[in-house]
Amino acid sequence: RDEEGDSGEIMGWLFGGYTKEDISQMEESADIDGLLKATEEIDYTKDIAKGGILVATVEALGRIGGERAIEKLIWFLGGGYWPHRMAAAKALGNLKVTRAAKPLYDALEEEIARELEPRIEYIGALGKIGNEEAIDLLIRALGIQEDEIYGRSASIVAGIHTAAEKELNKIPGGKERLSQRLKIVKTALGGDEDDNTKKSNTGSGGDDKFTKLKELKEMLSEGLIDDDEFKQMKKEILGK
């Protein structure tokens, strides 16, 4: 199993020295206990450099499925390094675990990696789940903004928005929700059916502004837009 011989093998087992063959055998025998034990014993901080044995373990749990495996997969959305979180998200999406929708969205918002890949996987998993809650969360993802703390550059944010739109267009009912959101946003900004958005309403009457602000507040309370979008649109309406 390793170049150190028998003593190395024994030490390897003592310190979580699993191989991909070990993981494969446990998967073949549906050894959930063994796989769960491996997730506890493998050092995730050294896993990627050693070939991703823990990634393989997470993937095996996803293929076996079942309640205990799902619990661990959801746990991994907030643990390990991003390849581990990514593997867990893919598995949960393939299993269409509806209760994983919110944890997947939380993972999307809280991901700190500089890479786009894990975020794409979270969004893809929401698309595979495809229920009403998943659609709501994908709509919400369209409002995610840049944030240095969470490694969200302009290109990362653009990738998130593109991926969310792509998934919404694939889900039954998602395309309609996406169109509805765009229409409401244009209306709130003073646009019309032909997408002629006014720059501001500075010269228009107070009642018009009040109505648009009221509509905007309703959009915020219904989760169609987030706080940042609300503030930006409010400025547009007030002409500031």
Side-chain angles (χ1 to χ4, degrees):
R1 196 179 280 122
D2 65 47
E3 295 175 358
E4 294 174 42
D6 292 341
S7 62
E9 282 187 29
I10 293 166
M11 293 300 286
W13 276 107
L14 284 172
F15 295 102
Y18 295 89
T19 66
K20 286 191 177 178
E21 288 75 21
D22 298 326
I23 303 306
S24 181
Q25 284 175 16
M26 283 189 267
E27 182 182 351
E28 282 176 23
S29 59
D31 181 6
I32 289 286
D33 288 328
L35 289 168
L36 290 174
K37 187 179 178 186
T39 65
E40 301 293 336
E41 294 182 349
I42 297 170
D43 183 354
Y44 80 87
T45 63
K46 298 173 183 174
D47 182 56
I48 305 306
K50 289 188 173 182
I53 311 298
L54 184 54
V55 172
T57 308
V58 173
E59 290 171 345
L61 285 170
R63 285 188 289 269
I64 293 174
E67 199 57 36
R68 293 171 69 207
I70 286 168
E71 282 298 327
K72 181 56 75 172
L73 291 170
I74 290 174
W75 180 89
F76 262 107
L77 292 176
Y81 281 156
W82 67 263
H84 306 121
R85 297 192 287 273
M86 191 168 153
K90 187 172 185 177
L92 289 164
N94 288 337
L95 291 167
K96 293 182 169 56
V97 181
T98 54
R99 64 189 172 88
K102 186 59 168 61
L104 281 162
Y105 181 81
D106 290 342
L108 173 64
E109 277 207 328
E110 294 165 13
E111 182 58 65
I112 57 171
R114 300 282 164 181
E115 290 78 9
L116 179 60
E117 290 95 326
R119 297 171 172 92
I120 297 294
E121 206 64 68
Y122 305 144
I123 290 167
L126 284 170
K128 285 177 181 173
I129 291 170
N131 62 358
E132 238 357 90
E133 184 185 14
I135 291 173
D136 288 342
L137 293 168
L138 286 167
I139 290 285
R140 193 167 156 189
L142 295 172
I144 288 177
Q145 303 295 316
E146 291 177 47
D147 191 315
E148 184 59 31
I149 294 171
Y150 292 104
R152 292 201 296 262
S153 62
S155 62
I156 290 283
V157 170
I160 289 171
H161 294 173
T162 300
E165 283 189 25
K166 183 180 174 185
E167 292 302 326
L168 282 164
N169 279 318
K170 289 194 293 188
I171 302 171
K175 197 169 187 175
E176 291 74 14
R177 284 288 304 281
L178 182 59
S179 299
Q180 178 194 11
R181 181 183 186 273
L182 293 172
K183 190 175 179 181
I184 291 170
V185 169
K186 285 173 191 171
T187 303
L189 291 177
D192 54 31
E193 292 293 325
D194 298 316
D195 198 19
N196 297 315
T197 307
K198 299 171 187 174
K199 292 294 179 189
S200 77
N201 291 310
T202 311
S204 61
D207 287 347
D208 186 41
K209 286 184 184 178
F210 178 77
T211 302
K212 291 190 187 306
L213 286 171
K214 189 178 176 185
E215 288 173 358
L216 200 62
K217 193 73 177 170
E218 287 172 2
M219 286 164 61
L220 179 65
S221 65
E222 289 172 15
L224 291 167
I225 57 173
D226 65 12
D227 288 331
D228 290 329
E229 289 176 307
F230 173 77
K231 288 171 188 172
Q232 184 58 41
M233 289 185 212
K234 185 178 176 183
K235 283 182 186 176
E236 292 279 344
I237 291 169
L238 296 174
K240 291 183 178 179

